[in-house]
Amino acid sequence: MSTARSRTHWTLSLALASSLLLAACAPTVVTEVVTAPPQVITQQVEVTRAVEVTRPVEVTRQVEVIVDPTECNLEPPASPAEINMIGWSFPITDFYAEELEKCNRIENLKVNTNLLASADAQEQVRLALSAGGDSPYDIVHGANGQVGEWAGAGWMLPLNDLIDKYREQYNLDDIPAKAWEGATIDGQIYGVPIVANTLHLIYRQDIFTDLGLAVPDTYDDVIQVCNAIGLDNPDYDMPFTLNLSAGWAWELEFFQMLRAYGGDFLDDQNMPIFNQAAGVQAVDILLEVANACMGPAGYSFSLNDQEVAMQQGTLPATNMWASRAANMTKPERTSLGDVIAYAPAPRAVADGPRAGSAWNDFYMIPANTTNDPDLIFRVIMEAVDERSQREAAEVGMVTRQSVAEYGGPYLGAANQTIVEGIGIYDKVRAIGIVRAKLSQFLPLVGTGEMTAQAALDAAAAAYVEEARAQGYIK
């Protein structure tokens, strides 16, 4: 009970008692009005009010984007672009050219590919880029030798920034550092490695077994194999071949033998040393092999001739590019795939390096292209991504480590040759002159017009004259 109500009850009781007392004492009736203090009543009232509230709501919707990995997955450029590529043809570069051409399906983008013979393609690039002005080409195919010559001359664009920009998107660390080093001069990377390559031995296992022949480990062993098969054997075109069908081919075979004998092209001052004792030994062994294994007809036996002869069964053994070895197991090309075998390149001397060089082919971007280098680089990336190289491995040696398992049976021999071989050309600009002069004079040894020493001395003198004129020799 509240205090106010108690006070009221007490007051009323007192008033009643007083009234009864007075009534008893006198007859007079007195009426007294007592007013109670006002009471405060508190009542809770629930009030409901409707309020309209507007609040922005972010809606996230998942949309599945299906990307066809076999296609060129580029956004169309804002304005029309035409990209021109030049290179030379062999099975794996033919494949990559087709991959480049898939980008023709992109709106506002046109990609043209032009594959020539290697010497012709390289000459076209030299003529176009040495003249200065805008480059007619946007993608240039080159190998180790062209990196030093073309990038060293300032004709090619460094790609470091683009490689870093797209490293994660195209998993460029999948390509080993050694391959990138082949296109690197003073820290600047000038090419994307698209092909690994070397020359190694390809032979008919059944013929070797029937004749009781061991796989040759040196070129002296090769000569013994040729003697056993017989240069005049009517069953075969010849027992074995090197490629001496052109000046550039002579130079390449000489380079491999020269290094295998411990020699080299130039000293630290860019002076020629290829005409010293190791150089003469290299030419002499080439002549010995040619005379014992090939005969006069062998000097004109080209790479294409070698490949076809192996596939048709008229050549028991050859030293051939790994990029062509992939064709040795294709049933549409040969019925002998199960008896064609592979071994690393022979050595010049026992326990020396194998007379096989380590090669990469690259896609490079000319420095004076008129197109957006970023767009050109992405076109290259689409052509040589992991999916593309998985398919390319069927026709040649690729550069991505993740697809190595997709290669052919020749890969073991090719990789052993690279590991145990003589390496790559030095990446100095003067090497281009050396190669040109050797290509000019070495074939004259094959025709008998010059001795080995005379041809090498003539090439050295011609090199020095031009190298001095171009400032490579002070």
Side-chain angles (χ1 to χ4, degrees):
M1 182 181 295
S2 68
T3 304
R5 291 178 63 187
S6 299
R7 188 180 298 116
T8 301
H9 184 269
W10 182 85
T11 303
L12 290 173
S13 300
L14 181 60
L16 178 59
S18 299
S19 299
L20 293 175
L21 182 62
L22 289 174
C25 295
T28 303
V29 178
V30 179
T31 303
E32 183 178 0
V33 178
V34 179
T35 302
Q39 297 183 31
V40 178
I41 299 174
T42 302
Q43 184 177 11
Q44 291 183 344
V45 179
E46 180 179 353
V47 178
T48 302
R49 182 174 62 181
V51 178
E52 181 179 354
V53 178
T54 302
R55 183 177 61 183
V57 177
E58 181 179 352
V59 178
T60 301
R61 182 176 61 179
Q62 290 186 343
V63 178
E64 183 180 5
V65 178
I66 300 176
V67 176
D68 186 349
T70 67
E71 292 296 330
C72 176
N73 295 294
L74 294 178
E75 291 294 325
S79 57
E82 184 170 357
I83 294 176
N84 295 308
M85 172 269 190
I86 187 170
W88 55 92
S89 174
F90 51 94
I92 193 170
T93 57
D94 294 344
F95 171 84
Y96 283 135
E98 293 174 0
E99 292 293 290
L100 290 170
E101 289 171 353
K102 288 182 179 179
C103 289
N104 284 323
R105 299 167 190 169
I106 303 299
E107 185 180 356
N108 275 347
L109 184 58
K110 176 68 174 174
V111 179
N112 304 308
T113 61
N114 184 19
L115 297 179
L116 308 174
S118 59
D120 295 335
Q122 293 169 35
E123 186 61 21
Q124 288 295 318
V125 172
R126 291 186 189 98
L127 291 173
L129 301 186
S130 63
D134 295 339
S135 171
Y137 310 116
D138 305 290
I139 300 173
V140 169
H141 166 204
N144 301 75
Q146 286 72 55
V147 171
E149 180 185 354
W150 297 348
W155 298 347
M156 298 299 153
L157 184 74
L159 303 178
N160 299 58
D161 291 344
L162 291 168
I163 291 168
D164 289 340
K165 181 177 180 179
Y166 294 105
R167 182 182 303 278
E168 184 174 349
Q169 179 177 343
Y170 290 102
N171 191 20
L172 295 180
D173 288 333
D174 191 24
I175 301 173
K178 283 291 183 183
W180 292 108
E181 287 175 13
T184 302
I185 300 176
D186 297 331
Q188 298 296 314
I189 303 173
Y190 291 96
V192 177
I194 61 170
V195 179
N197 220 343
T198 189
L199 289 127
H200 63 87
L201 187 68
I202 304 176
Y203 66 100
R204 285 278 300 279
Q205 180 67 68
D206 56 333
I207 296 174
F208 274 57
T209 299
D210 289 345
L211 296 176
L213 299 174
V215 177
D217 188 61
T218 68
Y219 272 98
D220 286 339
D221 296 337
V222 169
I223 292 173
Q224 292 179 20
V225 166
C226 293
N227 290 336
I229 295 173
L231 184 59
D232 57 353
N233 191 320
D235 293 334
Y236 310 114
D237 295 324
M238 56 199 72
F240 171 86
T241 58
L242 295 167
N243 181 22
L244 300 176
S245 64
W248 64 265
W250 268 95
E251 179 274 319
L252 175 56
E253 297 288 2
F254 171 75
F255 168 67
Q256 296 183 133
M257 290 294 188
L258 175 68
R259 282 273 186 90
Y261 277 113
D264 214 332
F265 278 167
L266 302 173
D267 64 15
D268 293 340
Q269 305 300 315
N270 282 340
M271 292 299 293
I273 54 175
F274 57 77
N275 57 334
Q276 296 178 2
V280 175
Q281 284 181 294
V283 177
D284 285 345
I285 192 64
L286 291 176
L287 288 174
E288 287 182 47
V289 172
N291 292 333
C293 302
M294 298 162 54
Y299 285 98
S300 61
F301 217 66
S302 70
L303 288 173
N304 288 338
D305 295 330
Q306 291 175 248
E307 181 178 340
V308 172
M310 284 297 304
Q311 292 165 345
Q312 293 182 347
T314 60
L315 184 64
T318 185
N319 209 49
M320 188 183 293
W321 289 103
S323 55
R324 291 176 178 263
N327 289 333
M328 296 300 154
T329 56
K330 294 187 177 299
E332 67 272 20
R333 292 176 177 265
T334 181
S335 61
L336 300 171
D338 58 340
V339 294
I340 293 177
Y342 312 90
R347 310 171 194 271
V349 293
D351 299 325
R354 297 192 179 277
S357 51
W359 286 83
N360 283 114
D361 291 71
F362 308 93
Y363 278 155
M364 299 183 276
I365 301 176
N368 55 350
T369 176
T370 58
N371 278 303
D372 177 15
D374 191 284
L375 174 62
I376 300 169
F377 188 82
R378 284 182 287 128
V379 168
I380 295 172
M381 291 294 98
E382 290 293 318
V384 299
D385 61 8
E386 183 176 336
R387 194 280 315 165
S388 297
Q389 290 212 9
R390 192 179 309 139
E391 294 186 22
E394 297 180 6
V395 292
M397 287 185 72
V398 295
T399 54
R400 288 182 176 270
Q401 299 171 98
S402 61
V403 300
E405 64 185 272
Y406 293 91
Y410 61 90
L411 276 180
N415 285 325
Q416 186 176 350
T417 300
I418 291 173
V419 171
E420 299 177 3
I422 53 89
I424 65 174
Y425 288 105
D426 292 330
K427 290 172 289 184
V428 296
R429 292 179 62 184
I431 292 295
I433 303 175
V434 174
R435 298 182 67 197
K437 300 310 177 185
L438 288 170
S439 298
Q440 177 182 350
F441 288 99
L442 283 175
L444 301 178
V445 180
T447 61
E449 297 174 64
M450 300 184 79
T451 65
Q453 188 69 66
L456 293 174
D457 287 344
Y463 159 78
V464 169
E465 181 179 359
E466 186 168 341
R468 279 207 171 108
Q470 295 191 28
Y472 299 141
I473 298 176
K474 303 301 182 184

